[in-house]
Amino acid sequence: MRCFLLGLVSLLSAGPLWAAHAYAQFGDIKYAPGFSHFDYVNPAAPKGGEITLVPPTRLSNFDKYNPFTLKGSAPPGLNGLVFESLLTGTMDEPTTAYGLLAQDVSVARDRLSAVFTLHPQARFHNGDPVLAADVKHSFDRLTSKEAAPQFRTIFGEIRGVTVLGERQVRFDFKRINAELPLIAGSLPVFSRQWGLENGKLKALDQIVTDIPIGSGPYRIGKVNFGKDISYERDPAYWARDLNVRRGLFNFDRITYKIYKDNTAQLEAFKAGEFDYIQAFIAREWARAYTGKQFERGELIKKELQHGNAGDFQGFLFNMRREKFKDVRVRQAIALAMDYEWMNRQLFYNAYTRVRGYFVGSDFEAQGRPGPEELAVLEPLRRQLPPEVFSEEVPLPPVTSLDPASGHTLRDNLRRARDLLAAAGWTYRDGALRNAKGEPFAIEFLDNSGSMGRVVTPYARSLEKLGMQVNYKVFDFAILQKRMDVFDFEIISNRMIGSEAPGTELLERYGSKAADTEGSSNVIGLKSPAVDALLDQVISAQTRPELVARLRALDRVLRHGHYTVPHWYSGVHRVAWRAGRFEQPAVTPRYYQPEAWVTSVWWATPANLAAAGGGR
């Protein structure tokens, strides 16, 4: 009997730590096995009709159908509509994903591997089954030098992928990290047949206009190459009856139109060229989203509430340039921005100032570091400035109209002048110069010209310090190329907030990414202390650990003054054509408007009739 019990204990201890229909980074799964559908969808939504929209990004054209390579621009919507992953996230849970291509996920007891069992019904658009060999193929291609470098960072903690059977695949991890099964589950899977020509497979970076062979609910339809693209719903979509897809992807056709500038885009919306738009400029929202069409209810204008963490947006310094290496110079440039004036005069008081890198979330550092943060920071004391431990976390400079406040714009410019002088930059011979007599010149790059109304008053303040300021506008494709090779001085950039930041931060702030063309570390940050903090963030095993470590990271980054923080909004500003769409009664807490609209909304009877009826 004793031998039997010992054998049973041994057998049980050898089993997986986790085996379920879903995986949660911190164990909190909302939907039980066999659930019917997500709470924020209408499972009875009719299929049919169409919607036409514009991308919410700065994209000005597209020149390829491959979203996984560095060179060129892929069309909007491609990743979410055509390609699928092993697991799928939801809009009401930040750190949980449910089986999609994989019907089951199990994590080894030592947490160093995860096994995914593929759904037997999973099919690519060409009718081939989605097999373990396709998963390995996708991983191998995306982590090769043929793919954009960010994939090697995102999947960098995965040691390799092993095919265990026709529909079973194992991901091996380099270390214990509770997020890694989610990262493995997010792998976009494409067919081994994609890029096959005359029996020979092209290199991934040579697959340009080959039509993707994915497994998603849509295929590429009518295309006006470089300008407009339509996606047609696949009536034979393999997952149409799965609970994670029930009530989702209801339109027969989703079309994206691309315009060169915001003015042309908005006028096209009013003229009926497309149905839905998200607004990002407060002045336009207040003054241009008006008129008889809005008054008559033909166009609906709405500010949608959400529970997302605030986005980070700011002017980013390229610290590869010698003049930006001194933190005092970066502080001085930040002191010259009069945000309060901008919010009053330009933004209609519609925004809140960005304070840090995780604004409006649990991860935002506050005041002086508490015991949990100090436990994270203390081993790095020699690598960090003393004020990280002794002072409150830096807040963006404030300008006041009260002369007695000590914080007027003039007061801030005096502080900036003193910081510049301490860094070796003084005003003489009509310009701010260093010891070599070189003038201080800075260049802001933009793609749409919309930032010009911000840069113009900002430049006037910088010029009072003796700086020469240039502002140049390029087509987005050109700007993106310059960003990819870090050929800029200051750019404006926005990063969408997250309720569970993790491995993607390596790509954004890690030293290795600073030297990798096309990476998101555009500021060129190389800091052993930041690298150590990133290492702790991605190895967090509990939510409290993640919170403490991200707060410590936020604090250290803010003491570095690597950016001039901008502003963010607590609502989504959207407008759409009335009478064409319906939406569920429940709005999810965490969502981006474009994905919510294209996946959850459905066509009204009038829209269905105009499109030839639903099915």
Side-chain angles (χ1 to χ4, degrees):
M1 183 67 176
R2 182 173 180 272
C3 291
F4 171 77
L5 290 175
L6 286 175
L8 181 61
V9 170
S10 176
L11 180 63
L12 292 174
S13 64
L17 176 73
W18 182 289
H21 65 297
Y23 176 80
Q25 184 174 355
F26 303 117
D28 46 352
I29 293 180
K30 176 179 179 179
Y31 297 99
F35 70 95
S36 173
H37 56 82
F38 296 135
D39 290 346
Y40 53 85
V41 307
N42 173 11
K47 305 293 185 185
E50 58 185 309
I51 186 170
T52 303
L53 63 163
V54 290
T57 62
R58 299 182 288 184
L59 189 71
S60 59
N61 62 14
F62 63 89
D63 54 12
K64 63 176 183 176
Y65 294 136
N66 185 345
F68 307 120
T69 54
L70 179 60
K71 185 179 179 181
S73 300
L78 190 62
N79 276 323
L81 301 176
V82 174
F83 294 99
E84 290 185 316
S85 51
L86 297 168
L87 305 179
T88 179
T90 75
M91 297 183 187
D92 53 2
E93 294 175 279
T95 57
T96 301
Y98 294 79
L100 180 55
L101 289 174
Q103 65 179 359
D104 175 79
V105 54
S106 62
V107 178
R109 186 158 294 277
D110 63 6
R111 303 183 183 184
L112 289 174
S113 66
V115 173
F116 295 85
T117 302
L118 298 179
H119 204 291
Q121 295 178 358
R123 291 290 184 277
F124 289 115
H125 294 147
N126 64 357
D128 289 346
V130 180
L131 301 177
D134 296 297
V135 177
K136 178 173 172 53
H137 170 80
S138 300
F139 175 82
D140 290 343
R141 301 301 292 275
L142 289 174
T143 54
S144 73
K145 292 185 178 181
E146 300 169 2
Q150 60 262 34
F151 292 105
R152 293 194 292 279
T153 302
I154 292 169
F155 300 116
E157 293 295 312
I158 298 175
R159 188 181 304 279
V161 174
T162 302
V163 173
L164 301 179
E166 189 176 57
R167 288 187 171 86
Q168 196 168 67
V169 60
R170 186 184 73 231
F171 286 73
D172 293 300
F173 308 139
K174 293 180 180 179
R175 60 171 165 174
I176 295 174
N177 176 351
E179 189 189 13
L180 281 173
L182 286 179
I183 294 170
S186 72
L187 176 78
V189 178
F190 44 84
S191 170
R192 287 167 287 163
Q193 303 300 311
W194 185 33
L196 197 63
E197 190 174 87
N198 298 323
K200 186 177 180 181
L201 189 64
K202 298 178 185 177
L204 185 63
D205 53 8
Q206 298 302 310
I207 300 174
V208 180
T209 56
D210 303 58
I211 299 299
I213 305 177
S215 60
Y218 291 87
R219 306 175 185 225
I220 292 177
K222 183 179 178 181
V223 176
N224 182 4
F225 196 76
K227 296 181 179 180
D228 311 323
I229 186 168
S230 291
Y231 298 95
E232 305 286 345
R233 188 169 63 85
D234 182 0
Y237 175 45
W238 74 273
R240 60 189 179 276
D241 296 322
L242 285 188
N243 50 10
V244 294
R245 287 297 193 239
R246 192 167 293 130
L248 293 167
F249 302 111
N250 303 310
F251 295 109
D252 273 354
R253 183 181 299 107
I254 297 173
T255 299
Y256 285 90
K257 288 183 172 289
I258 298 174
Y259 297 86
K260 290 291 186 181
D261 62 76
N262 291 336
T263 301
Q265 182 176 268
L266 181 55
E267 291 307 311
F269 174 62
K270 293 180 178 180
E273 292 185 16
F274 60 93
D275 305 309
Y276 168 88
I277 188 171
Q278 182 177 0
F280 294 97
I281 301 175
R283 180 189 62 177
E284 287 186 356
W285 182 250
R287 297 175 60 181
Y289 284 75
T290 57
K292 293 182 179 179
Q293 290 168 292
F294 290 96
E295 293 168 5
R296 292 194 297 259
E298 298 168 5
L299 297 177
I300 297 172
K301 170 184 175 180
K302 198 166 185 180
E303 294 185 348
L304 302 174
Q305 300 296 321
H306 62 83
N308 300 340
D311 298 342
F312 175 83
Q313 181 176 302
F315 286 126
L316 277 58
F317 297 106
N318 185 355
M319 294 195 303
R320 300 170 186 84
R321 303 296 173 94
E322 189 63 35
K323 61 186 142 190
F324 297 134
K325 291 185 183 293
D326 194 310
V327 66
R328 293 167 296 188
V329 171
R330 303 193 297 269
Q331 284 180 278
I333 293 173
L335 280 162
M337 175 182 278
D338 189 347
Y339 164 76
E340 282 68 30
W341 178 88
M342 290 179 183
N343 203 26
R344 290 193 307 271
Q345 301 298 323
L346 304 179
F347 306 150
Y348 297 83
N349 289 314
Y351 292 117
T352 301
R353 188 78 189 267
V354 168
R355 298 175 296 273
Y357 295 83
F358 308 109
V359 65
S361 74
D362 293 341
F363 315 122
E364 182 179 359
Q366 305 280 348
R368 289 184 173 84
E372 295 83 3
E373 272 189 75
L374 285 172
V376 177
L377 294 167
E378 194 60 46
L380 305 172
R381 181 177 283 273
R382 292 185 179 181
Q383 298 173 292
L384 294 170
E387 54 266 26
V388 169
F389 299 87
S390 60
E391 298 180 5
E392 294 194 351
V393 65
L395 294 172
V398 174
T399 53
S400 172
L401 296 175
D402 181 6
S405 68
H407 291 285
T408 65
L409 178 59
R410 179 173 292 183
D411 293 325
N412 287 348
L413 290 177
R414 288 196 188 103
R415 294 187 185 95
R417 178 197 61 195
D418 294 342
L419 284 167
L420 289 166
W425 293 90
T426 56
Y427 186 84
R428 61 189 188 277
D429 299 328
L432 186 70
R433 300 179 185 274
N434 60 14
K436 297 178 182 179
E438 299 167 330
F440 195 109
I442 54 176
E443 182 179 75
F444 292 81
L445 298 187
D446 191 14
N447 74 288
S448 68
S450 62
M451 195 57 69
R453 64 199 183 100
V454 171
V455 174
T456 298
Y458 191 17
R460 286 198 293 266
S461 295
L462 293 169
E463 287 164 355
K464 289 178 181 178
L465 295 170
M467 297 182 183
Q468 299 173 10
V469 182
N470 296 311
Y471 172 63
K472 292 184 179 180
V473 179
F474 296 94
D475 180 82
F476 175 68
I478 296 174
L479 179 61
Q480 185 64 58
K481 289 178 182 177
R482 292 191 60 169
M483 288 175 60
D484 286 343
V485 298
F486 312 124
D487 180 18
F488 70 92
E489 292 193 343
I490 297 178
I491 58 163
S492 170
N493 206 17
R494 169 175 168 255
M495 292 170 276
I496 294 175
S498 171
E499 287 301 314
T503 301
E504 75 277 7
L505 300 178
L506 291 172
E507 167 77 3
R508 198 174 295 169
Y509 306 117
S511 295
K512 184 178 179 181
D515 295 323
T516 304
E517 289 188 2
S519 82
S520 298
N521 189 349
V522 293
I523 59 179
L525 178 58
K526 288 184 176 182
S527 165
V530 169
D531 290 341
L533 290 170
L534 290 170
D535 188 69
Q536 292 198 50
V537 166
I538 64 176
S539 62
Q541 297 300 311
T542 66
R543 180 81 176 181
E545 282 184 351
L546 184 66
V547 168
R549 294 171 185 186
L550 283 169
R551 286 179 180 175
L553 176 64
D554 185 42
R555 183 178 301 277
V556 170
L557 290 173
R558 288 162 69 176
H559 274 284
H561 300 279
Y562 304 118
T563 67
V564 180
H566 281 184
W567 41 85
Y568 74 100
S569 173
V571 296
H572 296 310
R573 302 188 188 99
V574 301
W576 65 89
R577 201 159 304 284
R580 292 183 55 78
F581 312 109
E582 295 184 30
Q583 54 191 260
V586 176
T587 302
R589 180 175 181 183
Y590 312 111
Y591 69 98
Q592 294 299 324
E594 177 199 7
W596 179 55
V597 168
T598 57
S599 66
V600 174
W601 287 20
W602 65 91
T604 61
N607 187 332
L608 289 170
R615 58 185 182 276

